[in-house]
Amino acid sequence: MSSTPEIVIPASLLPADGRFGCGPSKVRPEAVAALASVGRTWLGTSHRQRPVLDEVGRLRSGLRDLFGLPEGHEVVLGNGGSTTFWDVATFGLIERTSQHCVFGEFSSKFATAAAEAPHIGDPQVVKSEPGTRPDPVADDAVDLYALTHNETSTGVMMPIARPRHADGRTASGLVAVDATSGAGALPVDPAAFDAYYFAPQKVFASDGGLWIALLSPAAVERVGAIKASGRWQPASLDLSIALDNSRKDQTYNTPALATIFLMNQQVRWLLDNGGLAWAVARSAESARIVYGWAEASDYAAPFVADAAHRSTVVATIDLDARVDAQAVSSVLRANGIVDTDAYRKLGRNQLRIGLFPAIEPADVEAFTRSVDFVVSALS
Ligand SMILES: *Cc1c(COP(=O)(O)O)cnc(C)c1O
């Protein structure tokens, strides 16, 4: 598409808020207003002083409540986002051999990071085609299983469970979950993971640049054992240093204060509305709306064939060859409905939208009406 056709979507069809991106995603205006109201006392103040330590403390305890973390679990945070956490994990969590369930761009990146790290062995990779998901394979040689709660590039979600051997034994390796786009809106049992990590710019409706990891006692023990083994780790990627700082409600180096504040606003909002169960139900409602619309449409269809694997936090919708998805996205953008494009590298004639809790289900409904309007105007 070289130029965007002049199509004006009637205001009565438009969503109240046009942000449907999968990250950065919609930040609630109420959270931004709250940040503005503390602008003079919060922004531009020291991250080593009480107000910031207290806010980090509230964030850590809010996440503890949201996920129902048992005693002994730790909420750890550091700078760099989920991508950085892959490097942190290759230094501080993988002892020798990891196994990666690869079913899209994000899950493949962690596998690559592990494959390239010279200080650990070659990873095992269990791969499936985009739009589907693989199952981990229990193997005594594996000391860390890398799962992805929601593969944001394809819109496939995966239930989090410990792998089991054929004889029913639970696998002994740690379970590390990239929950970047699922955490806070997909169900999860803390007993099923050892590291559950994410970043603030998806469900937590804040900005990027931070990683947060929920660690089980077994993961904390692994961190200590690797540290004690003397393995060299860059300080900024050293999970034992991050853990020490987090226990004091600090980060190793300076964090973005606005990001922490906005994330805390979202955690509070989720808790005040009913917590994780409420958030899961709200995203599921948006998912019913968008997949129901696509199934009933004569030009759109859900990309993920198995309805049970379709993500309730990120929807991927294929369009017929006679409708140019890029043209639809450009027209939507010109009308204020932004970031509906397919994941670049997937290369499909597709729309992809976030269904995070901050997004109103009524706005998802309005999105479907707006797409119908644009498609009929284009044809
Ligand atoms: C967005 C995303 C990432 C990357 O997060 P950054 O904070 O940009 O590093 C990793 N994994 C998944 C599943 C994601 O959705």
Side-chain angles (χ1 to χ4, degrees), residues 106 226 242:
F106 292 107
I226 290 178

Side-chain angles (χ1 to χ4, degrees), residues 268-275 278-279:
R268 290 287 131 207
W269 182 74
L270 293 173
L271 287 170
D272 289 347
N273 277 292
W278 176 81

Side-chain angles (χ1 to χ4, degrees), residues 264-355:
N264 225 350
Q265 288 289 308
Q266 185 71 355
V267 170
R268 290 287 131 207
W269 182 74
L270 293 173
L271 287 170
D272 289 347
N273 277 292
L276 188 57
W278 176 81
V280 168
R282 184 164 156 99
S283 286
E285 185 188 347
S286 290
R288 267 192 303 279
I289 292 167
V290 71
Y291 293 128
W293 158 77
E295 282 183 319
S297 163
D298 59 3
Y299 66 87
F303 166 50
V304 179
D306 188 332
H309 300 188
R310 273 175 210 155
S311 172
T312 54
V313 280
V314 169
T316 46
I317 305 294
D318 276 347
L319 302 188
D320 259 15
R322 56 199 159 88
V323 183
D324 179 351
Q326 265 176 288
V328 174
S329 277
S330 316
V331 173
L332 290 173
R333 176 172 289 280
N335 284 270
I337 301 175
V338 302
D339 304 333
T340 63
D341 320 73
Y343 190 78
R344 262 171 310 118
K345 289 193 191 158
L346 192 58
R348 293 186 72 88
N349 191 46
Q350 184 174 94
L351 301 176
R352 180 182 67 144
I353 64 163
L355 307 171

Side-chain angles (χ1 to χ4, degrees), residues 361-377:
D363 277 352
V364 173
E365 180 102 51
F367 162 82
T368 65
R369 289 194 305 262
S370 298
V371 174
D372 281 343
F373 181 88
V374 171
V375 169
S376 82

Side-chain angles (χ1 to χ4, degrees), residues 21-344:
C22 296
S25 65
K26 178 185 168 188
V27 179
R28 289 178 313 107
E30 295 83 356
V32 178
L35 176 61
S37 76
V38 298
R40 280 170 177 257
T41 51
W42 175 259
L43 296 174
T45 71
S46 168
H47 63 298
R48 303 291 182 209
Q49 294 300 323
R50 211 63 253 171
V52 175
L53 304 191
D54 288 347
E55 185 74 4
V56 171
R58 278 190 291 275
L59 176 61
R60 293 177 69 233
S61 70
L63 290 171
R64 221 168 239 301
D65 292 346
L66 187 67
F67 291 100
L69 294 186
E71 203 54 45
H73 280 59
E74 297 274 359
V75 179
V76 186
L77 58 164
N79 283 313
S82 293
T83 302
T84 301
F85 192 79
W86 294 326
D87 296 327
V88 168
T90 61
F91 278 108
L93 279 179
I94 300 172
E95 209 158 81
R96 166 135 206 99
T97 308
S98 52
Q99 182 187 93
H100 300 257
C101 283
V102 171
F103 54 121
E105 188 62 18
F106 292 107
S107 43
S108 85
K109 281 185 167 163
F110 186 16
T112 302
E116 289 177 351
H119 58 277
I120 51 177
D122 288 336
Q124 298 180 3
V125 173
V126 189
K127 198 170 174 175
S128 78
E129 286 308 304
T132 69
R133 72 183 186 213
D135 287 317
V137 180
D139 183 328
D140 286 325
V142 170
D143 60 73
L144 180 141
Y145 296 88
L147 309 181
T148 300
H149 210 170
N150 183 71
E151 189 30 278
T152 318
S153 66
T154 62
V156 173
M157 60 182 183
M158 164 187 273
I160 300 308
R162 293 188 182 275
R164 283 181 178 279
H165 293 274
D167 63 7
R169 250 183 331 127
T170 301
S172 59
L174 299 182
V175 172
V177 183
D178 178 352
T180 310
S181 58
L186 291 182
V188 71
D189 175 0
F193 63 73
D194 296 295
Y196 190 76
Y197 60 92
F198 44 92
Q201 74 274 24
K202 310 212 176 172
V203 170
F204 293 102
S206 177
D207 245 333
L210 204 66
W211 58 258
I212 297 95
L214 315 180
L215 300 184
S216 74
V220 171
E221 195 182 313
R222 174 73 59 86
V223 171
I226 290 178
K227 185 71 176 172
S229 75
R231 176 188 287 175
W232 175 76
Q233 306 182 51
S236 65
L237 301 178
D238 186 327
L239 199 42
S240 70
I241 293 178
L243 182 58
D244 286 347
N245 278 280
S246 297
R247 282 173 169 156
K248 297 176 209 143
D249 294 328
Q250 302 212 16
T251 47
Y252 176 56
N253 66 316
T254 316
L257 299 189
T259 302
I260 288 172
F261 185 91
L262 292 172
M263 180 171 185
N264 225 350
Q265 288 289 308
Q266 185 71 355
V267 170
R268 290 287 131 207
W269 182 74
L270 293 173
L271 287 170
D272 289 347
N273 277 292
L276 188 57
W278 176 81
V280 168
R282 184 164 156 99
S283 286
E285 185 188 347
S286 290
R288 267 192 303 279
I289 292 167
V290 71
Y291 293 128
W293 158 77
E295 282 183 319
S297 163
D298 59 3
Y299 66 87
F303 166 50
V304 179
D306 188 332
H309 300 188
R310 273 175 210 155
S311 172
T312 54
V313 280
V314 169
T316 46
I317 305 294
D318 276 347
L319 302 188
D320 259 15
R322 56 199 159 88
V323 183
D324 179 351
Q326 265 176 288
V328 174
S329 277
S330 316
V331 173
L332 290 173
R333 176 172 289 280
N335 284 270
I337 301 175
V338 302
D339 304 333
T340 63
D341 320 73
Y343 190 78
R344 262 171 310 118

